[in-house]
């Protein structure tokens, strides 16, 4: 409301700070909680408010936090519920264009802060659901992610950004035979999967992805001969796949159910 920001300002709180705090709370509430995910996306006005925050480039921290709410609501890791939430999210008018703009903007404004890849995290969570992939394609996310892949930024954080962008593109493309990843980017994809299983922070990577979120794009990437050869040379990749088959994940919160198909396909492809 027009007078709302002034009211908060007079009481020592900026309205943007209140919105940021509310988003932070939803980020944690949606994490690995089926009921909370659905309660958030079904609550009247919440997704419209998140859309407006995503589109407000004058408050980048709020943009990133709003994107993480979307990511956690759409995520299927452990608790499930992400698919229904994702369908409600993409049906919200204007939210995909706002998210797409944030992803494009992140190529320019990306820093060593993990929050700057929040838009990318939201795209990866959404792209895990086959029912909405066509909507993501139509919204131009493949083109935005392509800009990320072509980024020339240096450092581990940029390597992670390009690897995550490649994972999302692998999920979104209809045909992946021609999707060839740079060897350094592919090595980082493997490192992200290793982090998701072992639960230890790597160089520039943190264990923020579910096992399935890394396995699915990895299987699709191995369709390309060059990608398959690069990944097959990685002892880390093979060790992680064997660990998954043996169900020996040191990461206590890591759900290893419903991944047998992806693990088997990865091993067959690499063989």
């Amino acid at each position: 409301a027009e007078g709302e920001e002034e009211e908060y300002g007079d009481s020592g709180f900026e309205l943007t700070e209140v919105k940021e705090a509310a988003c932070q709370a939803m980020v944690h509430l949606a994490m690995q909680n089926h009921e909370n995910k659905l309660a958030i996306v079904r609550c009247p006005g919440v997704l419209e408010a998140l859309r407006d925050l995503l589109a407000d480039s004058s408050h980048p921290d709020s943009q990133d936090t709003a994107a993480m709410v979307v990511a956690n609501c759409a995520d299927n890791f452990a608790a499930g519920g992400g698919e229904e939430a994702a369908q409600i999210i993409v049906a919200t008018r204007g939210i995909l264009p706002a998210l797409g703009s944030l992803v494009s903007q992140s190529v320019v404004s990306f820093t060593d802060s993990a929050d700057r890849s929040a838009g990318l995290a939201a795209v990866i969570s959404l792209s895990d659901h086959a029912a909405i992939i066509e909507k993501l394609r139509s919204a131009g996310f493949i083109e935005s992610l392509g800009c990320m892949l072509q980024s020339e930024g240096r450092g581990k954080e940029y390597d992670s950004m390009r690897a995550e962008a490649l994972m999302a593109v692998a999920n979104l493309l209809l045909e992946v035979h021609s999707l060839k990843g740079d060897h350094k980017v592919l090595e980082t994809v493997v490192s992200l999967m290793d982090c998701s299983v072992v639960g230890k922070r790597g160089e520039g990577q943190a264990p923020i992805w579910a096992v399935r979120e890394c396995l699915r794009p990895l299987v699709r990437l191995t369709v390309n001969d060059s990608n398959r050869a690069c990944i097959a040379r990685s002892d880390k990749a093979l060790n992680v796949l064997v660990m998954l088959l043996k169900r020996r994940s040191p990461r206590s919160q890591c759900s290893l159910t419903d991944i047998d198909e992806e693990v088997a396909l990865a091993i067959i492809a690499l063989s």
Side-chain angles (χ1 to χ4, degrees), residues 159 162-163 166 180-191 221 224 226-234:
D159 290 341
R162 285 184 285 267
L166 184 63
K180 180 181 178 182
D182 176 83
H183 76 279
K184 183 65 176 177
V185 175
L186 291 170
E187 288 174 0
T188 307
V189 171
V190 171
S191 292
L221 286 168
N224 178 278
S226 176
N227 295 343
R228 182 167 62 252
C230 179
I231 296 171
R233 288 194 295 269
S234 169

Side-chain angles (χ1 to χ4, degrees), residues 4 8 11 14 60 99-100 106 116 139 173 182 219 236 259 262:
E4 196 172 4
Y8 277 99
S11 62
E14 292 292 338
L99 182 58
S106 296
R116 292 311 307 159
L173 283 178
D182 176 83
V219 170
K236 182 181 289 185
I259 62 167
E262 284 91 349

Side-chain angles (χ1 to χ4, degrees), residues 168-196:
V169 170
N171 284 344
L172 292 175
L173 283 178
L174 280 171
E175 198 281 319
V176 291
H177 284 83
S178 60
L179 180 59
K180 180 181 178 182
D182 176 83
H183 76 279
K184 183 65 176 177
V185 175
L186 291 170
E187 288 174 0
T188 307
V189 171
V190 171
S191 292
L192 291 173
M193 185 175 72
D194 180 59
C195 286
S196 75

Side-chain angles (χ1 to χ4, degrees), residues 55-77:
D56 184 5
S57 59
S58 64
H59 296 99
D61 288 342
S62 296
Q63 278 184 298
D64 296 331
T65 311
M68 284 310 302
V69 177
V70 172
N72 284 356
C73 285
D75 180 26
N76 254 342
F77 177 38

Side-chain angles (χ1 to χ4, degrees), residues 155-168:
K156 297 296 183 180
E157 296 290 346
Y158 282 96
D159 290 341
S160 291
M161 179 187 74
R162 285 184 285 267
E164 291 162 1
L166 184 63
M167 288 162 57

Side-chain angles (χ1 to χ4, degrees), residues 4-5 62 116 123-124 126 131 133 138 146-147 243 263 269:
E4 196 172 4
E5 188 156 0
S62 296
R116 292 311 307 159
V123 176
I124 292 179
L126 289 168
I133 282 182
S138 300
C147 294
M243 188 182 298
V263 174

Side-chain angles (χ1 to χ4, degrees), residues 7-269:
E7 178 184 343
Y8 277 99
D10 290 342
S11 62
F13 293 97
E14 292 292 338
L15 180 58
T16 53
E17 293 178 350
V18 175
K19 292 178 179 178
E20 169 75 9
C23 283
Q24 288 283 3
M26 286 190 286
V27 167
H28 295 289
L29 287 168
M31 187 179 297
Q32 300 181 34
N33 190 300
H34 182 115
E35 291 78 12
N36 286 349
K37 292 174 192 288
L38 296 179
I40 288 169
V41 299
R42 289 171 178 167
C43 183
V46 167
L47 290 177
E48 289 77 9
L50 289 173
R51 173 199 60 204
D52 294 344
L53 289 173
L54 288 169
D56 184 5
S57 59
S58 64
H59 296 99
D61 288 342
S62 296
Q63 278 184 298
D64 296 331
T65 311
M68 284 310 302
V69 177
V70 172
N72 284 356
C73 285
D75 180 26
N76 254 342
F77 177 38
E83 182 171 3
E84 183 179 349
Q87 291 182 355
I88 298 172
I89 289 167
V90 300
T92 302
R93 185 174 181 178
I95 201 165
L96 288 184
L99 182 58
S101 296
L102 176 60
V103 172
S104 298
Q105 168 191 326
S106 296
V107 179
V108 177
S109 60
F110 191 86
T111 68
D112 60 357
S113 168
D115 285 345
R116 292 311 307 159
S117 61
L120 186 50
V123 176
I124 292 179
S125 292
L126 289 168
S127 69
D128 193 40
H129 306 290
I132 64 172
I133 282 182
E134 185 52 46
K135 290 185 178 181
L136 297 175
R137 293 192 194 109
S138 300
F141 281 101
I142 293 176
E143 292 75 16
S144 299
L145 293 165
C147 294
M148 281 190 165
L149 288 173
Q150 295 168 13
S151 168
E152 296 181 357
R154 297 184 179 182
K156 297 296 183 180
E157 296 290 346
Y158 282 96
D159 290 341
S160 291
M161 179 187 74
R162 285 184 285 267
E164 291 162 1
L166 184 63
M167 288 162 57
V169 170
N171 284 344
L172 292 175
L173 283 178
L174 280 171
E175 198 281 319
V176 291
H177 284 83
S178 60
L179 180 59
K180 180 181 178 182
D182 176 83
H183 76 279
K184 183 65 176 177
V185 175
L186 291 170
E187 288 174 0
T188 307
V189 171
V190 171
S191 292
L192 291 173
M193 185 175 72
D194 180 59
C195 286
S196 75
V197 176
V198 178
K200 293 181 179 179
R201 179 179 292 274
E203 296 183 45
Q205 295 95 35
I208 62 173
W209 300 114
V211 174
R212 281 188 62 256
E213 287 175 321
C214 296
L215 268 175
R216 179 171 292 182
L218 184 137
V219 170
R220 302 206 79 207
L221 286 168
T222 56
V223 171
N224 178 278
D225 291 341
S226 176
N227 295 343
R228 182 167 62 252
C230 179
I231 296 171
R233 288 194 295 269
S234 169
D235 290 338
K236 182 181 289 185
L238 299 177
N239 288 339
V240 168
L241 292 171
V242 170
M243 188 182 298
L244 288 173
L245 285 180
K246 292 181 176 180
R247 295 296 190 270
R248 293 179 182 172
S249 171
R251 189 178 178 193
S252 59
Q253 72 271 33
C254 180
S255 173
L256 297 182
T257 59
D258 301 325
I259 62 167
D260 290 327
E261 182 179 356
E262 284 91 349
V263 174
L265 286 172
I267 292 175
I268 291 169

